[in-house]
Amino acid sequence: MADLLRDKVQRTNLFVMVLAWGASSFCFYILGFYMKYIPGDIFINTIITSFCDAVSSIVTGIISQRIGPQKTMTFGFGLSAVGGIALMVLGKSEISIMVFILLTKFGISICFTLCYIITATYFPSIVCSRVFGICNIFSRISTVLSPLMAEVTPPIPMCIYVFVCFVSMVSSMLLK
């Protein structure tokens, strides 16, 4: 563990990944809890977002191979933040709300998938399991907070969502 913290690059990557894991998990699950407030049939909405998750998992690998995992994660958090802002500002009709939910879900699913890829790629195998454990602890803690935030009076949950995505987008640029 001391080797991990001694190296500046690994220490920075660990900090960024802890933040990315926590943000991805928090944002992924807050959208799930927030689904009950979206107009329309909750079952149809859930099926559509689940399909979006599946597509994003496939697309993540393709995008990541083309532009790199770090830029893909920055893109994913940025896409989620833009979708969250659009949901708050422009989400007036059922169709626009569903489109923006899909946009946010697509972006955060990209980031959630990339957390596994980047952790395994950016850290030496000797410390990789420790990094996974550390990141997973923070991910679980943030997941516990997501239902609490989803129940706060709107638009506060989406404001928190956008803030977390924006901070994670900026910090993901520090990955080396």
Side-chain angles (χ1 to χ4, degrees):
M1 187 67 183
D3 295 338
L4 179 66
L5 297 176
R6 228 177 273 137
D7 184 10
K8 184 180 178 182
V9 171
Q10 287 186 6
R11 191 174 51 238
T12 302
N13 285 349
L14 177 63
F15 172 74
V16 171
M17 288 313 298
V18 163
L19 188 60
W21 276 76
S24 296
S25 185
F26 175 80
C27 292
F28 185 86
Y29 288 105
I30 200 170
L31 283 177
F33 289 113
Y34 204 68
M35 286 299 291
K36 65 183 174 184
Y37 299 115
I38 305 300
D41 186 9
I42 190 166
F43 299 110
I44 300 296
N45 292 347
T46 304
I47 289 169
I48 291 170
T49 58
S50 298
F51 179 74
C52 184
D53 286 341
V55 170
S56 73
S57 294
I58 295 167
V59 171
T60 299
I62 296 167
I63 296 172
S64 181
Q65 285 180 344
R66 301 229 180 207
I67 66 172
Q70 183 261 349
K71 289 179 183 173
T72 306
M73 181 165 276
T74 303
F75 168 75
F77 279 124
L79 188 65
S80 278
V82 167
I85 291 169
L87 188 61
M88 288 188 298
V89 175
L90 304 172
K92 305 297 182 221
S93 69
E94 281 188 32
I95 298 295
S96 65
I97 290 172
M98 200 62 220
V99 167
F100 298 138
I101 285 287
L102 287 175
L103 192 65
T104 57
K105 191 75 165 181
F106 186 78
I108 210 62
S109 293
I110 285 174
C111 296
F112 204 61
T113 303
L114 274 173
C115 283
Y116 291 96
I117 295 169
I118 290 175
T119 303
T121 306
Y122 280 49
F123 294 96
S125 57
I126 197 156
V127 295
C128 194
S129 62
R130 287 187 204 135
V131 173
F132 267 112
I134 292 166
C135 291
N136 205 347
I137 287 170
F138 285 95
S139 173
R140 301 290 173 128
I141 291 169
S142 68
T143 301
V144 169
L145 297 175
S146 62
L148 301 173
M149 290 299 123
E151 298 301 322
V152 176
T153 308
I156 294 172
M158 274 296 120
C159 291
I160 293 170
Y161 179 93
V162 169
F163 176 75
V164 168
C165 285
F166 181 74
V167 169
S168 299
M169 178 188 76
V170 172
S171 73
S172 68
M173 294 177 195
L174 299 173
L175 280 172
K176 297 175 183 160

